Amino acid sequence: MNSTINMKAEHEKVWGECLAIIKDILPPQAFDVWFVPIRPLSIEDKKLTLLLPSSYFYEMLEDRYCDLLFMVLNRVIGTGAKLNYRVMMTNSGDAPTLVDQSGGRRQNAGQGQTVFNPFQGHASKKVDSQLNHNYTFANFVEGVCNQLARSAGMSIAEHPGKNAFNPMFIYGGSGLGKTHLANAIGLEAERLNPNLNVLYVSANKFQTQYMEATRNNNSTDFLNFYQSLDVLIVDDIQDMASRTGTQNTFFHIFNHLHQAGKQLILTSDQSPNVLQGLEHRILSRFKWGLSAELVPPDFNTKKDILLNKVKAEGLLIPEDVVDYIAGAVTDNVRELEGVVSSLLAQSILINAEINLDLAQKVVGKIANTTSKVVNISKIQEVVCDYYNLEVNDIQTKSRKRVVVQARQVAMYLARKYTKNSLTAIGELIGNRDHATVLHACKTVAEQSEIDKELRQSLDSIEEKLR
Ligand code: ADP
Ligand code: MG
């Protein structure tokens, strides 16, 4: 009995201390909205369980304040602190039920999570759009870098399928806002017309669902489900490269939806003109509508994005610091956000004042640790540049020594740095089969053990990739 009382006192004490720190940091309104409604339930082995009012609340809290919560918790309980959530749900007058939610960052779909399977269930039911509610137009800062894509996106949301931008193909480098914009269009379309069946899906998830459907003899349901949508958003379509079956099915869905006047929105890290590994008939359809590129933001847009983010976090950052960050972080919005989160962390953890000096340290750290995205095109580019070849050279059947070596090195690095299958790597680099790729990988690995020159070549190529 006594111990229960003590444990109860403990979790309330811990949460009370956390709240005191959070209250100091956040603007009063944010604190009232996001922290006052939370109740501590228990603490066990440094694991604090909190009760949240709803699933939506949980998702918002996780997205906005996960880092803050963990830092504060670590400070109060010590390292190794864990967080567990329970969500209060009221179902049509039933007594509230408790639903466990895992603590920590939510995982991306497809990573150790049960894959969402939308086509199980009643066909006429409204589809859960899978959209990320944090990615709205309201917080998608406008700049020259995204003006065309943003305004086309808005008009699509107003008249999905009934516009000249079908499909809308959004492309650009990593961290420039493709996923954000695609979600914003979906959300706005849903807001304007709540009856629309909108679905956001990553190409990888689409692929997994398709394979599962095939395995379970469910292909027809899969096809019917996708063909019943009003707006289909497929993110990172480049991930469908060399997946013939998936591409085939997608091709049918695309045609069906397009003919029925339904909206398609696709994103990719490359323009449809240079996307490799996708069938010609699909690529040519991508060019039917509008291809809109997102380019790195200019200085002023970076400043606007920063100020927006700073405001959302309830931080105060002096103008010279904002200018410095906008100038120093080159071209990736994700990095800008990383800097703000890091500054927030520093100001909480060591109570540091956010000034130019701190910003310089943080930017230095982020710039060093954020690795660039390495894809097969990039690898081919860097390898060919190193060997003084054109990318086309390694795509040929040439058996010239330098070409063979460059091709093998590219295959080896593609295996090392990307998640592509051997088959995909082979198709993208010189249209070879998977056995050739496997052989190349083995050869390079073995040779580099004994051949100093090759080792040095690999080192300098890998240096350029990082
Ligand atoms: P991509 O899909 O192109 O890799 P994301 O859409 O995931 O990039 O964007 C990376 C991060 O940068 C996201 O958190 C997103 O909200 C933010 N972001 C990108 N562009 C903007 C913008 N114009 N305004 C506000 N935030 C942005
Ligand atoms: Mg993305």
Side-chain angles (χ1 to χ4, degrees):
M1 192 68 193
N2 232 346
S3 71
T4 327
I5 292 168
N6 280 342
M7 273 169 61
K8 202 174 168 189
E10 168 96 25
H11 65 254
E12 275 171 358
K13 201 173 118 230
V14 165
W15 185 237
E17 283 177 41
C18 292
L19 283 183
I21 301 173
I22 296 170
K23 197 170 186 174
D24 258 343
I25 297 165
L26 288 186
Q29 206 192 357
F31 180 81
D32 287 346
V33 172
W34 297 110
F35 290 90
V36 171
I38 301 176
R39 296 276 166 271
L41 285 179
S42 64
I43 187 159
E44 225 184 294
D45 290 332
K46 290 192 170 185
K47 184 165 88 178
L48 178 67
T49 301
L50 299 175
L51 178 63
L52 312 181
S54 68
S55 271
Y56 176 68
F57 189 102
Y58 158 73
E59 284 177 19
M60 296 297 286
L61 187 79
E62 269 275 290
D63 271 316
R64 313 181 94 175
Y65 298 114
C66 175
D67 294 343
L68 171 68
L69 266 168
F70 271 97
M71 271 171 315
V72 172
L73 210 60
N74 274 326
R75 191 160 136 193
V76 173
I77 309 184
T79 44
K82 289 200 191 86
L83 203 50
N84 197 33
Y85 300 112
R86 300 193 115 200
V87 173
M88 181 85 81
M89 293 211 308
T90 329
N91 290 330
S92 51
D94 292 343
T97 46
L98 293 180
V99 178
D100 257 327
Q101 301 275 15
S102 63
R105 276 239 171 271
R106 268 179 296 148
Q107 288 175 314
N108 288 330
Q111 293 176 351
Q113 245 185 356
T114 337
V115 178
F116 158 73
N117 193 352
F119 44 96
Q120 274 175 358
H122 205 262
S124 63
K125 229 165 68 184
K126 175 137 169 37
V127 171
D128 176 353
S129 68
Q130 304 286 305
L131 289 161
N132 182 336
H133 288 257
N134 295 321
Y135 289 162
T136 60
F137 273 120
N139 63 15
F140 189 71
V141 174
E142 184 173 352
V144 184
C145 53
N146 59 36
Q147 227 156 24
L148 168 74
R150 194 176 188 280
S151 56
M154 284 184 127
S155 78
I156 286 175
E158 281 166 25
H159 309 286
K162 319 275 179 296
N163 57 68
F165 312 138
N166 201 15
M168 177 175 188
F169 191 93
I170 307 168
Y171 68 97
S174 169
L176 294 182
K178 300 181 294 293
T179 299
H180 188 141
L181 178 59
N183 269 276
I185 302 172
L187 286 174
E188 183 65 5
E190 249 190 349
R191 192 185 68 80
L192 294 171
N193 185 351
N195 291 326
L196 280 185
N197 273 326
V198 180
L199 183 77
Y200 166 92
V201 68
S202 70
N204 270 330
K205 203 170 185 182
F206 180 89
Q207 151 90 7
T208 314
Q209 290 173 352
Y210 164 73
M211 290 196 323
E212 247 177 36
T214 316
R215 204 170 37 243
N216 301 330
N217 287 328
N218 234 350
S219 312
T220 320
D221 286 352
F222 177 83
L223 212 60
N224 286 341
F225 167 76
Y226 271 93
Q227 292 181 343
S228 73
L229 296 169
D230 298 304
V231 178
L232 171 60
I233 303 170
V234 184
D235 204 0
D236 291 318
I237 197 94
Q238 75 275 358
D239 291 341
M240 251 185 225
S242 305
R243 310 277 192 181
T244 318
T246 313
Q247 284 186 34
N248 240 329
T249 306
F250 178 70
F251 180 71
H252 290 300
I253 292 169
F254 183 104
N255 287 340
H256 181 96
L257 291 179
H258 197 272
Q259 272 164 23
K262 308 297 184 181
Q263 183 70 44
L264 291 129
I265 300 165
L266 312 154
T267 82
S268 159
D269 62 357
Q270 285 174 320
S271 104
N273 293 325
V274 294
L275 250 183
Q276 291 185 329
L278 269 97
E279 287 175 37
H280 178 73
R281 56 181 186 161
I282 294 185
L283 288 176
S284 73
R285 273 162 176 75
F286 289 168
K287 296 183 218 161
W288 280 356
L290 170 80
S291 299
E293 185 177 11
L294 293 182
V295 296
D298 56 43
F299 181 76
N300 283 330
T301 313
K302 277 190 280 183
K303 261 183 83 172
D304 288 348
I305 294 175
L306 262 176
L307 289 171
N308 215 33
K309 179 83 186 154
V310 164
K311 205 167 112 201
E313 295 283 3
L315 272 176
L316 273 178
I317 299 191
E319 174 114 26
D320 62 334
V321 176
V322 173
D323 280 354
Y324 166 74
I325 300 171
V329 175
T330 44
D331 38 32
N332 189 317
V333 182
R334 201 173 279 126
E335 272 179 27
L336 276 181
E337 294 190 330
V339 172
V340 175
S341 303
S342 213
L343 283 176
L344 176 69
Q346 302 272 343
S347 73
I348 294 164
L349 276 180
I350 51 170
N351 225 347
E353 186 200 343
I354 299 183
N355 55 24
L356 205 51
D357 191 39
L358 181 65
Q360 277 164 351
K361 280 194 201 125
V362 166
V363 169
K365 243 178 36 209
I366 299 242
N368 287 338
T369 51
T370 323
S371 52
K372 290 185 214 150
V373 176
V374 179
N375 56 29
I376 295 186
S377 316
K378 179 83 192 159
I379 289 171
Q380 295 192 79
E381 229 171 78
V382 174
V383 169
C384 289
D385 189 51
Y386 179 84
Y387 286 103
N388 266 327
L389 297 168
E390 297 293 325
V391 172
N392 276 344
D393 296 335
I394 60 171
Q395 297 289 350
T396 63
K397 300 266 172 253
S398 167
R399 300 293 313 158
K400 266 209 231 130
R401 211 181 95 81
V402 60
V403 176
V404 171
Q405 178 154 90
R407 196 184 292 122
Q408 289 190 329
V409 165
M411 288 173 171
Y412 167 82
L413 294 174
R415 182 89 201 274
K416 184 165 169 185
Y417 287 103
T418 74
K419 292 198 195 92
N420 294 73
S421 65
L422 291 173
T423 312
I425 294 172
E427 275 180 27
L428 296 176
I429 307 179
N431 205 9
R432 303 298 208 273
D433 62 16
H434 82 282
T436 311
V437 180
L438 197 59
H439 174 71
C441 295
K442 262 176 83 180
T443 308
V444 175
E446 283 167 12
Q447 281 293 102
S448 63
E449 294 279 316
I450 42 173
D451 181 345
K452 210 167 136 207
E453 202 180 315
L454 177 61
R455 184 67 257 150
Q456 281 167 353
S457 303
L458 283 177
D459 284 347
S460 30
I461 294 169
E462 292 185 60
E463 179 70 24
K464 287 206 185 95
L465 282 175
R466 272 184 223 118

